[in-house]
Amino acid sequence: MNIYISTERILQFLTILSWIIFIGLCIETCSYLTSTLFNLFLEPSKAKLMWHPIDLSSLFAFDQGYYAVVSFFVILVGVLKALLFYFIIRILQNKNFNMSQPFSDITRRFIFSIAYTTLAIGLSSSCGADYTEWFMGQGVKMPTLEQMSIGGSDVWLFMSMTLFVIAHIFKKGIEIQTENELTV
């Protein structure tokens, strides 16, 4: 007995999963932003009462400016990841998106959007990771890159290059499809 799951069901499941990940990323990023603003603009004694998503207290004690920069990279990467899932949700819920004709301008723009977003995530993660590793070399106790959600910049950069190749293949497919429609 074979079990067949339709493409429509899979896309519905992926839409729900994308919404869950998007909401989780928004909550995580907002907690980083709230914690950073709370720590920077309130007295440090009151900041200890704030829930910390990551422990950057030794960096905060070392220098508040450096703390703000590291927090900026963590928040920027979180915002870009949430933006990536926003693009995915938007394409999955787009009524003009036709799965029977994947070589369309909507698909091309979508793939280029996620390619540029993953490139931005990779570059931001790389800068944030290099900056964090410099502090570790200075003797500041820092959480791991994975705890800060800025690890894996090489994977993001590799994915962006792969998506750029796919986007250009789709661009060429659209050109060929347009030529074929004009010759008929």
Side-chain angles (χ1 to χ4, degrees):
M1 180 165 117
N2 292 337
I3 298 175
Y4 176 75
I5 301 173
S6 69
T7 304
E8 188 174 311
R9 284 276 194 218
I10 293 172
L11 289 175
Q12 287 174 349
F13 173 74
L14 290 175
T15 302
I16 293 168
L17 187 61
S18 296
W19 270 108
I20 292 169
I21 294 170
F22 174 72
I23 291 169
L25 287 169
C26 287
I27 291 170
E28 180 183 41
T29 303
C30 285
S31 68
Y32 291 146
L33 179 62
T34 305
S35 176
T36 300
L37 293 175
F38 194 87
N39 290 332
L40 288 174
F41 297 113
L42 292 178
E43 295 175 25
S45 61
K46 291 182 181 178
K48 292 179 183 175
L49 302 174
M50 180 68 178
W51 176 75
H52 296 284
I54 50 177
D55 184 20
L56 294 174
S57 57
S58 60
L59 180 60
F60 187 79
F62 182 72
D63 188 278
Q64 290 183 2
Y66 291 145
Y67 170 82
V69 172
V70 170
S71 295
F72 168 76
F73 281 118
V74 171
I75 293 165
L76 178 63
V77 169
V79 166
L80 290 170
K81 287 178 183 178
L83 182 65
L84 178 69
F85 278 92
Y86 170 74
F87 289 145
I88 292 170
I89 291 167
R90 197 173 76 186
I91 193 73
L92 290 173
Q93 293 185 336
N94 190 342
K95 301 299 178 196
N96 296 329
F97 179 64
N98 187 357
M99 288 295 286
S100 62
Q101 287 189 323
F103 290 101
S104 66
D105 197 47
I106 293 172
T107 308
R108 182 190 59 81
R109 283 194 316 260
F110 166 70
I111 295 173
F112 271 112
S113 296
I114 62 173
Y116 282 117
T117 305
T118 55
L119 178 64
I121 292 170
L123 293 175
S124 301
S125 295
S126 179
C127 290
D130 290 345
Y131 202 65
T132 301
E133 289 171 358
W134 181 77
F135 286 118
M136 289 177 184
Q138 300 294 319
V140 178
K141 185 177 178 272
M142 297 288 290
T144 64
L145 298 176
E146 287 76 26
Q147 289 173 326
M148 294 171 45
S149 300
I150 59 172
S153 62
D154 55 342
V155 176
W156 288 106
L157 293 171
F158 177 76
M159 184 168 54
S160 71
M161 293 305 119
T162 304
L163 288 169
F164 277 118
V165 169
I166 292 170
H168 283 285
I169 291 170
F170 266 77
K171 185 178 178 181
K172 184 65 176 174
I174 292 167
E175 291 172 5
I176 291 171
Q177 183 175 322
T178 304
E179 287 176 12
N180 287 341
E181 288 173 357
L182 292 175
T183 58
V184 172

